[in-house]
Amino acid sequence: MVTTKQQSMVTQSDGNPLAKGHDAEANLQSIEADESKPAAPPSGLWGNLCYYGHKVIVAGRVELQGISPIPVKERTVTKTLNIFTLWWSMSCNILPITFGMLGPVYGLSLRNSCLVILFFTLLSTILPAYLCTLGPKLGMRQMIQARYSWGRYLISLPVLLNLATMTGFSVIIVITGGQCLSAVANGHLSISVGIVIMSILTLIISFCGFTTLHMYERFAWIPAVIAIIVAVGCGGKYLHLQTPPADPATPQGVLSFAMIVASYMIPWACLASDFTTYLVPSTPSWKIFTYSYTGLALPTILLMCLGAAIQGAIPSVPAWSEAYDETLVGGVLQAMLAPARGFGRFLVVILSFTLLGNLAATSYSITLNFQMLAPLLFKVPRYLFAIILAAILIPVSIKAAADFFDSLENFVGLIGYWSSAFLGVVMVDHLWEKKGDCSRYDLEAWNDASQLPWGVAALTASVASFALVIPSMDQVWWQGPIAKTTGDLGFEFAFVVSGLLYVPLRMVEKKVSGR
């Protein structure tokens, strides 16, 4: 029988696992030892549900480890290539195509769209790739690492914003998948039903956790690549029929689309080390960085450029234009694959399911961020948040699907600003305060507010940076005076200004607080 003591050991361990002896391995050994004793399940419906539910979870090897740092003895994964396949699978789907289709919306030609995509993807991928290298050394999730600059309690604000960001991305993904499934069914399957299907499939993978996620990502990219290549082969003959922009490219159009590209890449840095914490600490940093950088940047560049080419050709191809009006991205892909007939329809289904690679990894990090949001939530098992997420995704996605591209532009227009300010502080703290040396982190203090910084310097620097960010924003609902001349420079200023302000503010905070 699973006793209250056992459940507490699994779900309520707090503090450093090495210091308190409540690491995941000890938990499982204790549970397995007790489960070897013959015992009857507890009486009552709820008791039976808890008992048998827990046995299913343990038998299915669901990850029980939450946000507690991973002990060194449990960082045993040696397959560094898994990092490449993870990021590759997360990027090798139709989501980058959707983002790339926004290039012509900003009045850019195919050539200019591709140049913006190339430069800003190569630039913005540096952040997530670098932060991936810290996971094996610290054994900490990304937002737990950020406590060493933001403090134990003020980190809840970036965590909340990160939850909103990742949930927003998940909404975009399930809508896109739902559109594809609806398109292939010729309207017999509504977009809403497609959204439900995508959400349930995601729930299964994110529920299980790290091992299942990496196992899935190891192979998920293969059908994705095949389906995309066939789609380009079937519809590629029309991609040269580009509709030229009505006016020459402007700095505003270039920088606004650059913000879209960067906003796609930069938020990955807020969860980067979540996927590398189980690697052995001795894994070479250069190898992790290279695998992460190429796995993220290469498919993103190619697929965003493909999206820009498709968007530019839609007005010149009546069949594409008609399909786009009905089911947007999914409709265009269905029209491109129409020459392949039944096989083409099958590939559209495959393309919709390629989004699961991205969605499952994002959802996995969301379940961890829920635990970081408040001390009370730390006691809730990680896998239960996967169910809560699915319950949120379905209604929100169905509502947002009615105005998909408006929802996409408005959402992406916000996430780049806060995440850039947040990461400016985190990077300066690591490179300046910690000298880029992971041994300077007091791993025992990860959950102790009395040993962590107050976080006032980090919050003040980030908020103060918006004095320059807001005048530099160029959105549908707001165009700042600087942006009217230069275009959107908000995310650049957010990153640079927050980092610069953090240095003197942190010095003052250390002098006053003594830590």
Side-chain angles (χ1 to χ4, degrees), residues 168-184:
F169 263 115
S170 299
V171 167
I172 293 170
I173 296 169
V174 296
I175 292 175
T176 305
Q179 290 170 348
C180 289
L181 293 176
S182 177
V184 78

Side-chain angles (χ1 to χ4, degrees), residues 86-87 89-91 93 95 162-174 202 205-207 213 217 264 267-268 270-272 274-275 355-370 382 385-386 389 393 411:
L86 174 80
W87 289 114
S89 291
M90 289 171 63
S91 305
N93 53 66
L95 186 62
N162 199 36
L163 275 171
T165 297
M166 292 189 292
T167 303
F169 263 115
S170 299
V171 167
I172 293 170
I173 296 169
V174 296
T202 302
I205 302 173
S206 60
F207 184 91
L213 175 67
E217 303 286 12
Y264 176 86
W268 290 128
C270 298
L271 49 90
D274 292 0
F275 308 123
L355 292 164
L356 292 174
N358 189 306
L359 190 55
T362 304
S363 300
Y364 171 72
S365 284
I366 290 175
T367 63
L368 295 170
N369 274 250
F370 266 122
R382 180 204 62 79
F385 287 115
L389 175 63
L393 274 183
F411 165 71

Side-chain angles (χ1 to χ4, degrees), residues 320-337:
W320 291 13
S321 182
E322 181 181 350
Y324 179 80
D325 291 338
E326 292 180 1
T327 47
L328 298 177
V329 180
V332 174
L333 293 172
Q334 165 71 8
M336 290 178 67
L337 284 163

Side-chain angles (χ1 to χ4, degrees), residues 106 120 251-260 263 412-414 416-417 469-480 482-493:
Y106 286 99
F120 282 91
Q252 292 89 338
V254 169
L255 290 175
S256 294
F257 183 53
M259 182 272 300
I260 295 292
S263 295
V412 174
L414 291 174
Y417 304 130
V469 171
I470 293 174
S472 306
M473 293 167 56
D474 187 7
Q475 299 298 319
V476 175
W477 39 268
W478 166 256
Q479 185 179 42
I482 297 176
K484 290 179 180 179
T485 303
T486 64
D488 197 314
L489 291 171
F491 86 88
E492 294 95 335
F493 283 144

Side-chain angles (χ1 to χ4, degrees), residues 211-266:
T211 302
T212 303
L213 175 67
H214 276 271
M215 186 181 302
Y216 175 82
E217 303 286 12
R218 194 180 305 164
F219 306 104
W221 63 272
I222 299 174
V225 169
I226 294 172
I228 292 171
I229 290 174
V230 174
V232 174
C234 291
K237 60 184 178 182
Y238 298 112
L239 292 179
H240 72 282
L241 302 175
Q242 295 291 306
T243 302
D247 301 301
T250 63
Q252 292 89 338
V254 169
L255 290 175
S256 294
F257 183 53
M259 182 272 300
I260 295 292
V261 175
S263 295
Y264 176 86
M265 300 301 295
I266 289 176

